[in-house]
Amino acid sequence: MAKDPFRMIFMNEAVRETGTQLVKRGLAEMLKGGVIMDVVDAEQARIAEDAGASAVMALERVPSDIRKDGGVARMSDPEMIEGIKSAVTIPVMAKARIGHFAEAQILQSLEVDYIDESEVLTPADETHHIDKWAFEVPFVCGATNLGEALRRISEGACLIRSKGEAGTGNIVEAVRHIRSITGDIRKITQADSAELFDWAKKLQSPLPLIQEISETGRLPVPIFCAGGIATPADASLVMQLGAESVFVGSGIFKSEDPAQRAQAIVEATTNFADADKLAKVSHGLGEAMPGLEIENLETRLSDRGW
Amino acid sequence: MKVGVLALQGAFDRHAQELSLAGAAPLEIRGPKHLEDVDALIIPGGESTTILKLAESLGVRDLLSDQIRDGLPVLGTCAGMIVLSKAIIDGRDDQNPLGSIDIDVRRNGYGRQLASFEADLQIAGFETPFRGVFIRAPLVERAGKDVEVLASVEGNPVFCRQEKIMTTSFHPELVSDGRIHELFLELAFASS
């Protein structure tokens, strides 16, 4: 650095501020246009990274196995999370139960990059979600409609995803959630200032967030899609409906050829509006994960959370 | 002024917004044919492994590298800086950057997300500080002799320039302060 003509600035040590909203929402901005993949061990994490995943979600069982096994689903073993963290260079997320702030504290101590307060695990609190403002690590939360999304944002969530119906390979619920959220946002941009009060009441959401949406025409944080994505076409569908990234859970590692399918979904997410490219990447992927009809389910995961 | 924004993955939409505010026409680049008529380019933040992998599989990597070598002005932020660097430390073994600017960078050199931070930066030529947002940011470990350092944090370069290539470890697209985009456009279009 001997040649640096601006040496004097070194005397002004920059004051670092960590854990700010800008920093927490900023990571969500960096994950846009990408695919976040559920992985259960270091080997799957490497396959995901090789395929171009922009982050991985570390969990003990993918949602379709949680659904099959039943019982209480909890935060993953820290050893398994550490193993995945050291296997990849991309961000690592992990799930805490709804309302289980102690699990979230442990995940923060493990230095995961994002916490998913997730309905895929068994809820720990029937009334309260985690106060996410109390954490330096950012949170993603699921939502089935705009009111739920705004309540999560008011609790400090920095990224919203649809809930979909995890572990089914059935996209219908995720489509309903994304359409409901983006549809209400469009209506709010058309509402006059008096109607915004009614929207806040109807959605049981803070008025300032409703007013912000009426001005910007978008959620204050990025919105991603999760739940039921199994094919490149599914990824394209939800991206065209307004999702800014996709989470893929069981859809990859419950399919016949995970590596190839993972890469195809990554390419489909980038080229979501290019049908020629989508046709090309959809060729010869082998069997997708087996799908489930929503009305035959014993447990509706998307009903969890409030 | 047609300015491409590499839109393979990451915060490309925020760069496009800043470019529009600065009076340029942003174009999203997803394939080689999109690169044909741009006068300058931004490579955004995101995940460098994903961006490099898609650049390869979608056939933009070689063209991009040639055009930058032939003088296409380019701004790389965070992952974009990693893509443009000469060498990556702590990356994946198969991660080959374009080698367009003579810097070596350490991926996540400032730490994981919990260590991500904001700080006021003193930038040469700016009257007031610029708010730098560093997210799992890459650390510039070496800057070659032809690289001009425009800002540093704790002695490490965070804003570099070599001819018409600019790189930042931070995210100017996240702070509603267009000065770095304006500076890049000045650099890109000064002589034309």
Side-chain angles (χ1 to χ4, degrees), chain B residues 10-52:
Chain B
F12 48 84
D13 59 332
R14 301 293 295 263
H15 276 295
Q17 279 168 29
E18 287 298 327
L19 284 172
S20 302
L21 288 172
L27 282 177
E28 291 188 353
I29 309 291
R30 290 191 164 84
K33 68 173 190 296
H34 302 148
L35 271 174
E36 280 163 14
D37 50 17
V38 298
D39 308 308
L41 180 75
I42 293 181
I43 306 182
E47 279 307 310
S48 60
T49 48
T50 308
I51 294 171
L52 279 166

Coordinates of all heavy atoms in Angstrom, one line a residue, chain B residues 10-52:
Chain B
G10 N -28.4 -12.6 -7.8 CA -27.9 -11.5 -6.9 C -28.8 -10.3 -7.0 O -29.9 -10.3 -7.5
A11 N -28.1 -9.2 -6.5 CA -28.9 -7.9 -6.3 C -28.9 -7.1 -7.6 O -28.6 -5.9 -7.6 CB -28.3 -7.1 -5.2
F12 N -29.1 -7.7 -8.8 CA -29.0 -6.9 -10.0 C -30.1 -5.9 -10.1 O -29.9 -4.8 -10.7 CB -29.0 -7.9 -11.2 CG -30.1 -8.9 -11.2 CD1 -31.3 -8.6 -11.7 CD2 -29.8 -10.2 -10.8 CE1 -32.3 -9.6 -11.7 CE2 -30.8 -11.2 -10.8 CZ -32.0 -10.9 -11.3
D13 N -31.3 -6.1 -9.6 CA -32.4 -5.2 -9.7 C -32.1 -3.8 -9.0 O -32.4 -2.8 -9.5 CB -33.7 -5.7 -9.3 CG -33.7 -6.2 -7.8 OD1 -32.6 -6.5 -7.3 OD2 -34.8 -6.2 -7.2
R14 N -31.4 -3.9 -7.9 CA -31.0 -2.7 -7.2 C -30.0 -1.9 -8.0 O -30.1 -0.6 -8.0 CB -30.5 -3.0 -5.8 CG -31.4 -3.8 -4.9 CD -32.7 -3.0 -4.5 NE -32.3 -1.9 -3.7 CZ -32.4 -1.9 -2.3 NH1 -32.9 -3.0 -1.7 NH2 -32.1 -0.8 -1.6
H15 N -29.1 -2.5 -8.6 CA -28.2 -1.8 -9.5 C -28.9 -1.1 -10.7 O -28.6 0.0 -11.0 CB -27.1 -2.7 -10.0 CG -25.9 -2.9 -9.1 ND1 -25.1 -1.9 -8.8 CD2 -25.5 -4.0 -8.5 CE1 -24.1 -2.4 -7.9 NE2 -24.4 -3.6 -7.7
A16 N -29.9 -1.9 -11.2 CA -30.6 -1.3 -12.4 C -31.4 0.0 -11.9 O -31.4 1.0 -12.6 CB -31.6 -2.4 -12.9
Q17 N -31.9 -0.1 -10.7 CA -32.6 1.1 -10.2 C -31.7 2.3 -10.1 O -32.0 3.4 -10.5 CB -33.2 0.8 -8.8 CG -34.5 0.1 -8.7 CD -34.8 -0.4 -7.3 OE1 -34.4 0.2 -6.3 NE2 -35.5 -1.5 -7.2
E18 N -30.5 2.1 -9.5 CA -29.5 3.1 -9.3 C -29.1 3.7 -10.7 O -28.9 4.9 -10.8 CB -28.3 2.7 -8.5 CG -28.5 2.5 -7.1 CD -28.9 3.8 -6.3 OE1 -28.5 4.8 -6.7 OE2 -29.7 3.7 -5.4
L19 N -28.9 2.8 -11.7 CA -28.5 3.3 -13.0 C -29.5 4.2 -13.6 O -29.2 5.2 -14.2 CB -28.2 2.1 -13.9 CG -26.9 1.3 -13.6 CD1 -26.8 0.0 -14.5 CD2 -25.7 2.2 -14.0
S20 N -30.8 3.7 -13.5 CA -31.9 4.6 -14.0 C -31.9 5.9 -13.4 O -32.0 7.0 -14.1 CB -33.3 3.9 -13.8 OG -33.3 2.6 -14.3
L21 N -31.7 6.0 -12.1 CA -31.7 7.3 -11.4 C -30.5 8.1 -11.8 O -30.6 9.4 -11.9 CB -31.6 7.0 -9.9 CG -32.8 6.5 -9.2 CD1 -32.5 6.1 -7.7 CD2 -34.0 7.5 -9.2
A22 N -29.4 7.5 -12.2 CA -28.2 8.2 -12.7 C -28.4 8.6 -14.2 O -27.4 9.1 -14.8 CB -27.0 7.4 -12.4
G23 N -29.5 8.2 -14.8 CA -29.7 8.6 -16.2 C -29.2 7.7 -17.3 O -29.1 8.0 -18.4
A24 N -28.8 6.4 -16.8 CA -28.4 5.4 -17.8 C -29.5 4.5 -18.1 O -30.5 4.4 -17.3 CB -27.2 4.7 -17.3
A25 N -29.4 3.7 -19.2 CA -30.5 2.7 -19.5 C -29.9 1.3 -19.2 O -29.1 0.8 -19.9 CB -30.8 2.8 -21.0
P26 N -30.4 0.8 -18.1 CA -29.9 -0.6 -17.7 C -30.5 -1.7 -18.5 O -31.7 -1.7 -18.9 CB -30.4 -0.7 -16.2 CG -31.6 0.2 -16.1 CD -31.4 1.3 -17.1
L27 N -29.7 -2.7 -18.8 CA -30.1 -3.9 -19.6 C -29.7 -5.1 -18.8 O -28.6 -5.2 -18.4 CB -29.4 -3.9 -20.9 CG -29.8 -3.1 -22.0 CD1 -28.8 -3.3 -23.2 CD2 -31.2 -3.4 -22.5
E28 N -30.7 -6.0 -18.6 CA -30.3 -7.2 -17.8 C -29.6 -8.2 -18.8 O -30.1 -8.5 -19.8 CB -31.6 -7.9 -17.2 CG -32.1 -7.0 -16.1 CD -33.2 -7.7 -15.3 OE1 -33.7 -8.8 -15.7 OE2 -33.7 -7.1 -14.3
I29 N -28.5 -8.7 -18.3 CA -27.7 -9.6 -19.2 C -27.8 -11.0 -18.6 O -27.4 -11.3 -17.5 CB -26.2 -9.2 -19.1 CG1 -26.0 -7.7 -19.4 CG2 -25.3 -10.1 -20.1 CD1 -26.2 -7.3 -20.8
R30 N -28.4 -11.9 -19.5 CA -28.5 -13.3 -19.1 C -27.9 -14.3 -20.1 O -27.9 -15.5 -19.9 CB -30.0 -13.7 -18.9 CG -30.6 -13.0 -17.7 CD -32.0 -13.6 -17.4 NE -32.5 -13.2 -16.1 CZ -33.1 -12.1 -15.8 NH1 -33.3 -11.2 -16.7 NH2 -33.5 -11.9 -14.5
G31 N -27.4 -13.7 -21.2 CA -26.8 -14.6 -22.2 C -25.9 -13.8 -23.1 O -25.9 -12.6 -23.0
P32 N -25.1 -14.5 -24.0 CA -24.1 -13.8 -24.8 C -24.7 -12.7 -25.7 O -24.1 -11.7 -25.9 CB -23.5 -14.9 -25.6 CG -24.1 -16.2 -25.2 CD -25.1 -15.9 -24.1
K33 N -25.9 -13.0 -26.2 CA -26.4 -12.0 -27.2 C -26.8 -10.7 -26.5 O -26.7 -9.6 -27.1 CB -27.6 -12.6 -28.0 CG -28.9 -12.8 -27.2 CD -30.0 -13.2 -28.2 CE -31.4 -13.2 -27.5 NZ -31.5 -14.2 -26.4
H34 N -27.1 -10.7 -25.2 CA -27.4 -9.5 -24.5 C -26.2 -8.6 -24.4 O -26.3 -7.4 -24.2 CB -27.9 -9.8 -23.1 CG -29.2 -10.6 -23.1 ND1 -29.4 -11.5 -22.1 CD2 -30.2 -10.7 -23.9 CE1 -30.6 -12.1 -22.3 NE2 -31.1 -11.6 -23.4
L35 N -25.0 -9.2 -24.4 CA -23.7 -8.5 -24.2 C -23.4 -7.6 -25.4 O -22.5 -6.7 -25.3 CB -22.6 -9.4 -23.9 CG -22.4 -9.8 -22.4 CD1 -21.3 -10.9 -22.3 CD2 -21.9 -8.6 -21.6
E36 N -24.0 -7.9 -26.6 CA -23.5 -7.3 -27.8 C -23.6 -5.8 -27.8 O -22.6 -5.2 -28.3 CB -24.3 -7.9 -29.0 CG -23.8 -9.3 -29.4 CD -24.9 -10.0 -30.3 OE1 -25.8 -9.4 -30.8 OE2 -24.7 -11.2 -30.5
D37 N -24.7 -5.2 -27.3 CA -24.7 -3.8 -27.5 C -24.7 -3.0 -26.1 O -25.4 -2.1 -26.0 CB -25.8 -3.3 -28.4 CG -27.1 -4.0 -28.0 OD1 -27.2 -4.5 -26.8 OD2 -28.1 -4.0 -28.7
V38 N -23.8 -3.4 -25.2 CA -23.7 -2.6 -24.0 C -22.4 -1.8 -24.1 O -21.4 -2.3 -24.6 CB -23.8 -3.4 -22.7 CG1 -25.1 -4.1 -22.6 CG2 -22.6 -4.4 -22.6
D39 N -22.4 -0.6 -23.4 CA -21.3 0.2 -23.4 C -20.5 0.2 -22.1 O -19.4 0.7 -22.0 CB -21.7 1.7 -23.7 CG -22.6 1.8 -24.9 OD1 -22.2 1.3 -25.9 OD2 -23.7 2.4 -24.8
A40 N -21.1 -0.4 -21.1 CA -20.5 -0.6 -19.8 C -21.3 -1.7 -19.1 O -22.4 -2.1 -19.5 CB -20.5 0.7 -19.0
L41 N -20.7 -2.2 -18.0 CA -21.3 -3.4 -17.3 C -21.2 -3.3 -15.8 O -20.1 -2.8 -15.3 CB -20.7 -4.7 -17.9 CG -21.2 -6.0 -17.3 CD1 -22.6 -6.3 -17.9 CD2 -20.2 -7.1 -17.5
I42 N -22.2 -3.8 -15.1 CA -22.0 -4.0 -13.7 C -22.2 -5.4 -13.3 O -23.1 -6.1 -13.8 CB -23.1 -3.1 -12.9 CG1 -22.8 -1.6 -13.1 CG2 -23.1 -3.5 -11.4 CD1 -23.8 -0.7 -12.3
I43 N -21.3 -6.0 -12.5 CA -21.4 -7.3 -12.0 C -21.8 -7.2 -10.5 O -21.1 -6.6 -9.8 CB -20.1 -8.1 -12.2 CG1 -19.7 -8.1 -13.6 CG2 -20.4 -9.6 -11.7 CD1 -18.4 -8.9 -13.9
P44 N -23.0 -7.6 -10.2 CA -23.6 -7.3 -8.9 C -23.1 -8.2 -7.8 O -22.4 -9.2 -8.0 CB -25.1 -7.5 -9.1 CG -25.1 -8.7 -10.1 CD -24.0 -8.5 -11.0
G45 N -23.5 -7.9 -6.6 CA -23.3 -8.9 -5.4 C -24.3 -10.0 -5.6 O -25.3 -10.0 -6.3
G46 N -24.0 -11.1 -4.8 CA -24.7 -12.3 -4.9 C -23.8 -13.4 -4.4 O -22.9 -13.1 -3.6
E47 N -23.9 -14.6 -4.9 CA -23.0 -15.6 -4.6 C -22.0 -15.8 -5.8 O -22.4 -16.2 -6.9 CB -23.7 -16.9 -4.2 CG -24.2 -16.9 -2.8 CD -23.1 -16.6 -1.7 OE1 -22.0 -17.2 -1.8 OE2 -23.3 -15.7 -0.9
S48 N -20.7 -15.6 -5.5 CA -19.8 -15.7 -6.6 C -19.7 -17.1 -7.2 O -19.5 -17.3 -8.4 CB -18.4 -15.2 -6.2 OG -17.9 -16.1 -5.1
T49 N -19.9 -18.1 -6.4 CA -19.9 -19.5 -6.9 C -21.0 -19.7 -8.0 O -20.8 -20.2 -9.0 CB -20.1 -20.6 -5.8 OG1 -21.2 -20.2 -5.0 CG2 -18.8 -20.7 -5.0
T50 N -22.2 -19.2 -7.6 CA -23.4 -19.3 -8.5 C -23.2 -18.5 -9.7 O -23.4 -19.0 -10.9 CB -24.6 -18.8 -7.7 OG1 -24.7 -19.4 -6.5 CG2 -25.9 -19.0 -8.5
I51 N -22.7 -17.2 -9.6 CA -22.5 -16.4 -10.8 C -21.5 -16.9 -11.7 O -21.7 -17.0 -12.9 CB -22.2 -14.9 -10.3 CG1 -23.3 -14.3 -9.5 CG2 -21.8 -14.0 -11.5 CD1 -23.0 -13.0 -8.8
L52 N -20.4 -17.4 -11.2 CA -19.3 -17.9 -12.1 C -19.8 -19.2 -12.8 O -19.5 -19.4 -14.0 CB -18.0 -18.2 -11.3 CG -17.1 -17.0 -11.1 CD1 -16.1 -17.2 -10.0 CD2 -16.5 -16.5 -12.4

